[in-house]
């Protein structure tokens, strides 16, 4: 192999949010990864900036949440303005920006894309991974050799990269797996011959990022303005800035008849501000200093027909789905694609899991993308529609808009994401955890540690560390019958042929016991040793010493507080399986489908 | 001046917790500061390790709380063991470790002194301040020139320092002010001729820091053991370690008759463990690996007769007060001495405040130290006493101990610290804030921002940035009469001769408005501009959008929700003054006593 040829486990093409998320997750899991990007420097302003509640939880699970919360602006409240009696607008109501009662963080975060990318770039650098740029791929060849394709450790993908700086030299990379996160106009997708299904809409919008001078009382809320002079949305952002989404009419812009694309040379940010000012009337809105960033777009709603080829080349992020930006979904959908893929690739590369696990990526994320487009079609139509007025009784009424806003809340917040039944998601015993829907993320809840009564949010105890979490709701073990059931379960998972904890590599599993007992009574030392690998792994469903948090966890999950249940949480935080304490075999079957038995180390 | 002579604003002698706290606070405030220490390297293990609830709030106010919370162990629960029926001990109860219902952090943090010192050393280094070591002071001369002593910018203190490394050279430092934070055997104190008042007790204790191997169910709680074989206290610590305080009898040790000091050469950590094992019976306790640190001490209870000489040389920390370590007070008292002194020195050095402000340091902190010794006498006697048993009816009953434990909670947690009336603390209008005691720290409470409904803990909005915080509880300004009162107040503080905000340097003040209105109705733009220097400075006494936090703030502080009040919070977070909205003159008088009028910048 010449110096211009190299091998890598995973090559990522495109260093936007989806690509950086994947690179960070893989590098953190110890995977040999390389990431390239065509841009000479990273994004400095504008672009995507909305982070939804579930995505904040996901950031937190990688240890990145605190920085996101520190740097980002939070949107808690939404306000709605409609045509008022005097020709201008008036407020018709305020409501929670997020409609998702189980959200751990019931708000959106806004932060410009460059700052979000830095949240990944800094830890990546500490792990020795830099984005190689500016580089473009010029060829991608996937081997047709069935033997190579079936061998998870083979390098069947040959990618030719061209360096755009200096001498523009080419190099060849042999990768086990490739992820194309190269955006809406994805070169990887086109090279694979994957089509985008869906269509372009008639809606045209402009966007400006400004530091506002305004007397509008809701300039720091997410404010939807339906004015007689067009629709506008205010998105407050970090550093006292705001983004304005401004509806444009066919008269405002010129479109290329063939592509449907708007000709950006015929309109500028000052014209956008003029349209916004009309919508704001009678409130004032000006920009202080420069207009930081602006763009114009026509909403397209499309999903890629495939998300992978032979489970060796994947696409993720905007390469898979495009839709309207106003619901703040794009970057979230993109990063959660990577979140879904990272742990699966890691377990296959480590030799723990069968390659069939990788098929669940497209199965789970393509269905999500289709749901997203369906949501976006309804949302965009409502948002881009004219308001109902005396003269226009066919327009969108405030109530319709507010109802839709709240109805879609669980989906748009991300906490409602529900993966369909598959090898990874088995809803057989849904009745044992009536409120913790199998296939959705583990509900946030505060438990206290039995040994020291310290409260913990359970999501913080279940990080995205590639391990499966075995939560043993041991019930009330002060009752001897229940204690016997728990001891039997503890014995079965450590002895005999169903002993999955012993038979599988224990680095794949993390075991927690959750008792329904009270802090005054429980001795953590009474829980069988197999179910408490460390003193800190026994939790109680009880309040902290000041009753400020905790308690009611069994009820929240809908688990019987006498008899308990076993809840398996996937490495990405989604519940995969619930069984009674007696069903050790079902647990073993669940893992045996996609994990290989390896002897314990 | 030769190269071995230099000038500095503040010279700090001793780089333990009190000295580092002072150095950090002063450096952060932009004061020219130097800190020296006799030890060649910092403390690596053992020593003080308990951080009380109020001290956590104080760390948070300097931006140091998150690291403390991340690195430290938390103690939430206390357990009590007493003689059981079979000759060993048994648990007689569990209770909250902290008894202080208003504590923002209702727990103690344990972390070894070296780690706590690092929390200051790292930001100090970023600000360009390093501890100079190993250096000892050999002479300290305070000028007797009245003119120099009265000039806050003069350098009347001449300190000779000897470098212990290399060539042992001497240098001379001319300081405006000196702080002696050089511990219980303070050279500064002795050089000033300041006596320690109080006495030595008969109680002898040993301490070991170990990684335990134990089946004691409360090994991760703060556990007080009163056994027939002596008393013992378990203090759980970071990294799964515990500290054991072990009561020793006269037979266990040898004392020097003259000094009363224990001869440490006659006993070792293994003997301490043997005594502990007897107290633990029937539970097992062994140490895994090395015993990290150990010591033996006789409890002394003394307070320095003076805390400063001419308000030019101060002592703080152990140099001022010594007492028993088991209530975890020492490091807290020490750092809070510095917290009290730092902002006062800063304002005098900046030329904002009269030197008389510095007299309040001794006034406030010496009284606190005396209260601490009184508390410690009662506490130590209870703790070192023998338990009540069938045979010993004069012993300490569990109930007595528990009652004392809870009664002293507000004091030992630090949240009960109450500064007596002085130029800084004027309780005239206590009735206007019935539950917010003037002279105590501002109660923690969550308010939401009017502009975006984002919840904030008010303590986080009032950092230790040397500014006085003017909290204007504006009441219900939807009522026109109240709105008029608020507008009048806003006018008076910005116009005319009582216009303190305009007349004093505005960098000294930070103004916040707190409305009793609701988030659905209030427009932050309705609050007079003088009372909202930024959109973020209008708060509401209401819950967040999900009613998870906030609301009830007027009731918590005991402020009338119609008529409001003005609450002045000192830079150290203690409430100094409460007035009605009409009493602008009282506010002006309060500041004029110790702040100099300067024209607004």
């Amino acid at each position: 192999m010449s110096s211009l040829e190299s091998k890598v486990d995973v090559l990522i093409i495109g260093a936007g949010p989806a690509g950086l998320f994947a690179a960070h997750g893989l590098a953190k899991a110890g995977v040999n990864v390389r990431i390239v990007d065509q841009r000479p420097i990273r994004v400095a302003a504008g672009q995507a900036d909305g982070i939804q509640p579930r995505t904040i939880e996901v950031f937190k699970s990688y240890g990145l949440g605190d920085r996101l919360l520190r740097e980002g602006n939070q949107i808690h409240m939404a306000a709605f303005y409609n045509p008022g009696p005097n020709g201008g607008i008036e407020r018709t109501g305020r409501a929670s920006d997020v409609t998702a009662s189980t959200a751990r963080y019931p708000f959106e975060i806004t932060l410009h894309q460059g700052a979000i990318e830095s949240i990944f770039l800094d830890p990546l650098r500490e792990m020795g991974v830099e984005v190689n740029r500016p580089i473009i791929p010029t060829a991608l060849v996937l081997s047709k050799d069935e033997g190579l394709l079936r061998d998870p450790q083979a390098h069947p993908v040959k990618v030719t990269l061209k360096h755009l700086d200096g001498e523009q030299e080419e190099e060849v990379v042999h990768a086990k797996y490739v992820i194309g996160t190269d955006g809406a106009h994805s070169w990887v997708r086109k090279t694979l011959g994957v089509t985008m299904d869906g269509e372009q809409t008639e809606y045209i919008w402009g966007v400006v990022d400004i530091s506002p001078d305004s007397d509008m009382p809701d300039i720091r809320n997410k404010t939807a303005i339906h004015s007689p002079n067009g629709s506008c949305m205010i998105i407050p952002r970090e550093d006292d800035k705001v983004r304005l989404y401004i509806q444009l009419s066919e008269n405002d812009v010129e479109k290329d008849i063939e592509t449907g694309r708007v000709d950006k040379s015929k309109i500028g940010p000052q014209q956008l501000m003029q349209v916004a000012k009309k919508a704001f009337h009678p409130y004032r809105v000006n920009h202080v200093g420069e207009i930081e960033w602006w763009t114009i777009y026509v909403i397209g709603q499309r999903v890629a027909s495939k998300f992978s080829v032979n489970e060796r080349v994947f696409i993720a992020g905007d390469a898979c789905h495009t839709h309207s930006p106003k619901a703040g979904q794009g970057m979230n959908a993109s990063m959660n694609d990577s979140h879904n893929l990272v742990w699966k690739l890691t377990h296959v590369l480590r030799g723990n899991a069968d390659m069939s696990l990788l098929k669940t990526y497209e199965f789970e994320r393509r269905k999500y993308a289709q749901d997203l487009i369906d949501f976006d079609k309804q949302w965009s139509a409502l948002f881009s529609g004219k308001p109902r007025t005396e003269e226009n009784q066919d327009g969108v009424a405030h109530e319709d808009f507010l109802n839709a806003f709240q109805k879609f809340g669980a989906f748009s917040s991300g906490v409602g994401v529900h993966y369909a039944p598959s090898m990874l998601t088995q809803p057989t015993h849904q009745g044992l955890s009536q409120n913790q829907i199998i296939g959705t993320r583990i509900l946030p809840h505060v438990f206290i540690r039995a040994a020291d009564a310290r409260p913990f949010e359970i999501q913080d105890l279940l990080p995205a560390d590639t391990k499966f979490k075995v939560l043993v709701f041991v019930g009330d073990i002060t009752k001897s019958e229940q204690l016997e059931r728990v001891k039997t379960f503890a014995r079965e998972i450590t002895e005999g042929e169903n002993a999955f904890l012993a038979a599988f590599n224990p680095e794949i599993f993390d075991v927690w016991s959750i008792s329904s007992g009270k802090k005054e009574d429980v001795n953590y030392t009474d829980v069988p040793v197999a179910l408490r690998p460390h003193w800190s792994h026994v939790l109680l469903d009880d309040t902290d010493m000041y009753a400020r948090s905790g308690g009611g966890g069994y009820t929240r999950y809908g688990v019987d507080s006498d008899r308990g249940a076993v809840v398996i949480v996937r490495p990405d935080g989604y519940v995969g399986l619930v069984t009674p304490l007696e069903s050790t075999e079902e647990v073993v079957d669940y893992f045996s489908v996609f994990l290989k038995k390896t002897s314990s180390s």
Side-chain angles (χ1 to χ4, degrees), chain A:
Chain A
M1 199 179 279
S2 85
S3 67
L4 293 177
E5 286 196 44
S6 61
K7 284 186 171 183
V8 72
D9 285 358
V10 181
L11 175 66
I12 299 169
I13 298 170
L20 289 170
F21 190 108
H24 175 267
L26 290 167
K28 198 162 186 217
V31 171
N32 170 232
V33 65
R34 184 170 172 197
I35 179 166
V36 300
D37 195 89
Q38 65 178 3
R39 293 167 297 185
I41 52 167
R42 68 183 176 80
V43 166
Q47 310 288 357
D49 66 358
I51 302 284
Q52 297 295 334
R54 172 56 189 159
T55 310
I56 308 174
E57 292 178 4
V58 170
F59 267 63
K60 189 88 179 164
S61 74
Y62 285 93
L64 305 175
D66 291 345
R67 179 165 169 188
L68 180 68
L69 288 163
R70 197 167 55 241
E71 296 185 4
N73 174 68
Q74 296 181 10
I75 309 180
H76 289 257
M77 193 148 68
F80 306 93
Y81 283 73
N82 278 282
N86 299 320
I89 53 170
E90 65 175 6
R91 187 167 66 226
T92 42
R94 283 173 172 165
S96 175
D97 177 52
V98 164
T99 309
S101 62
T102 71
R104 179 176 178 188
Y105 305 98
F107 50 82
E108 285 180 77
I109 287 182
T110 43
L111 183 61
H112 75 90
Q113 187 173 323
I116 288 171
E117 292 180 5
S118 291
I119 292 175
F120 299 109
L121 287 167
D122 292 343
L124 272 171
R125 192 165 299 125
E126 282 171 31
M127 293 187 283
V129 179
E130 297 271 359
V131 178
N132 300 149
R133 61 171 94 218
I135 285 178
I136 54 166
T138 55
L140 185 154
V141 179
L142 177 60
S143 169
K144 296 194 182 335
D145 180 328
E146 285 292 329
L148 282 182
L149 290 175
R150 271 199 303 268
D151 175 2
Q153 303 301 336
H155 292 78
V157 202
K158 181 180 164 189
V159 180
T160 307
L161 298 177
K162 184 175 183 179
H163 292 245
L164 299 185
D165 56 353
E167 286 154 35
Q168 307 238 341
E169 62 185 6
E170 290 203 336
E171 63 165 320
V172 171
V173 179
H174 300 272
K176 291 178 180 170
Y177 304 90
V178 168
I179 310 177
T181 45
D182 48 349
H185 306 290
S186 171
W187 176 91
V188 174
R189 186 187 69 222
K190 288 172 191 161
T191 303
L192 294 171
V194 173
T195 57
M196 289 295 274
D197 303 339
E199 55 212 31
Q200 202 82 340
T201 68
E202 294 296 306
Y203 309 127
I204 312 162
W205 286 78
V207 190
V208 287
D209 282 352
I210 61 168
S211 291
D213 160 38
S214 178
D215 56 359
M216 147 65 82
D218 288 281
I219 193 80
R220 297 305 307 170
N221 293 317
K222 186 203 263 182
T223 298
I225 298 173
H226 280 97
S227 90
N229 307 311
S231 295
C232 181
M233 179 169 259
I234 306 171
I235 307 284
R237 291 186 35 193
E238 75 278 9
D239 298 337
D240 291 1
K241 288 180 284 203
V242 302
R243 166 168 294 186
L244 302 178
Y245 285 101
I246 302 151
Q247 188 177 25
L248 301 175
S249 68
E250 296 275 339
N251 305 334
D252 294 324
V253 294
E254 289 187 36
K255 286 207 284 186
D256 181 300
I257 294 166
E258 208 143 302
T259 66
R261 281 196 209 164
V262 174
D263 186 345
K264 275 185 77 170
S265 66
K266 300 289 167 60
I267 188 169
Q270 292 301 342
Q271 286 99 309
L272 295 178
M273 282 302 296
Q274 288 309 320
V275 180
K277 279 171 203 246
K278 282 186 212 156
F280 267 63
H281 179 74
Y283 296 105
R284 178 181 82 240
V285 62
N286 295 304
H287 61 93
V288 179
E290 295 289 300
I291 291 178
E292 190 182 80
W293 183 79
W294 70 281
T295 192
I296 294 172
Y297 61 90
V298 177
I299 298 176
Q301 291 159 330
R302 296 192 176 91
V303 179
S305 54
K306 294 167 72 173
F307 279 27
S308 99
V309 172
N310 287 93
E311 287 79 64
R312 303 304 302 216
V313 186
F314 302 88
I315 52 175
D318 289 352
C320 305
H321 34 68
T322 66
H323 47 85
S324 103
K326 281 183 310 302
Q329 297 297 305
M331 188 159 53
N332 298 272
S334 296
M335 295 192 293
N336 279 295
D337 286 344
S338 297
H339 179 51
N340 186 282
L341 180 57
V342 157
W343 68 271
K344 296 171 182 175
L345 266 181
T346 300
H347 279 298
V348 169
L349 281 162
R350 285 185 188 159
N352 298 328
D354 190 84
M355 280 187 69
S356 62
L357 175 61
L358 298 175
K359 288 185 187 293
T360 63
Y361 166 66
E362 177 177 300
F363 174 79
E364 294 187 329
R365 294 306 296 176
R366 186 157 187 277
K367 175 171 177 308
Y368 166 77
Q370 287 170 322
D371 291 346
L372 176 59
I373 300 305
D374 291 343
F375 154 77
D376 194 60
K377 283 181 181 168
Q378 299 178 63
W379 180 244
S380 297
L382 272 174
F383 200 82
S384 300
K386 284 216 175 286
R388 179 177 297 177
T389 55
E390 294 261 325
E391 299 75 39
N392 177 17
Q393 288 293 323
D394 293 337
V396 179
H398 169 59
E399 292 70 31
D400 299 342
F401 188 75
L402 183 61
N403 285 343
F405 185 79
Q406 295 182 331
K407 176 182 145 197
F408 294 133
F411 183 82
S412 64
S413 71
V415 306
V417 170
H418 184 176
Y419 291 135
S422 73
M423 64 200 289
L424 277 182
T425 304
Q426 300 182 6
T428 320
H429 295 288
Q430 180 64 73
L432 293 179
S433 67
Q434 300 201 14
N435 306 322
Q436 172 62 64
I437 306 302
I438 299 168
T440 67
R441 63 90 163 84
I442 183 87
L443 290 168
H445 194 74
V446 172
F447 292 91
I448 64 168
R449 284 203 301 219
D452 64 359
R454 176 173 170 179
F456 280 88
E457 165 54 54
I458 196 166
Q459 287 193 345
D460 286 338
L461 302 178
L462 312 177
D465 59 1
T466 77
K467 292 185 194 179
F468 284 87
K469 314 305 186 306
V470 180
L471 308 187
V472 187
F473 286 78
V474 295
D476 183 357
I477 55 172
T478 63
K479 295 187 178 149
S480 59
E481 192 190 340
Q482 179 64 9
L483 183 59
E484 276 315 306
R485 290 180 73 217
V486 171
K487 282 184 177 170
T488 303
F489 176 74
R491 208 163 40 238
E492 284 185 357
I493 63 167
T494 45
E495 300 168 15
E497 65 172 312
N498 281 345
F500 75 94
L501 273 186
F504 289 116
N505 186 336
E507 288 190 3
I508 300 175
F509 299 102
D510 200 15
V511 180
W512 295 82
S513 289
I514 304 174
S515 159
S516 56
K518 296 300 151 199
K519 56 187 171 288
E520 289 78 12
D521 311 321
V522 172
N523 291 331
Y524 78 94
T525 44
D526 291 342
V527 171
V529 171
L531 305 184
R532 52 174 171 101
H534 186 260
W535 63 260
S536 62
H537 280 226
V538 182
L539 305 177
L540 294 185
D541 183 17
D542 197 2
T543 61
D544 64 54
M545 301 307 296
Y546 279 78
R548 293 184 187 173
S549 62
Y554 272 71
T555 305
R556 180 168 176 86
Y557 294 110
V559 174
D560 186 297
S561 61
D562 285 330
R563 296 180 58 79
V566 179
V567 174
I568 308 288
V569 183
R570 305 166 12 162
D572 54 7
Y574 288 76
V575 172
L577 182 73
V578 176
T579 75
L581 288 172
E582 281 74 22
S583 296
T584 323
E585 277 187 39
E586 282 182 84
V587 178
V588 174
D589 285 350
Y590 174 76
F591 288 119
S592 65
V593 176
F594 54 90
L595 291 191
K596 299 170 177 179
K597 286 211 181 195
T598 60
S599 55
S600 76
S601 62

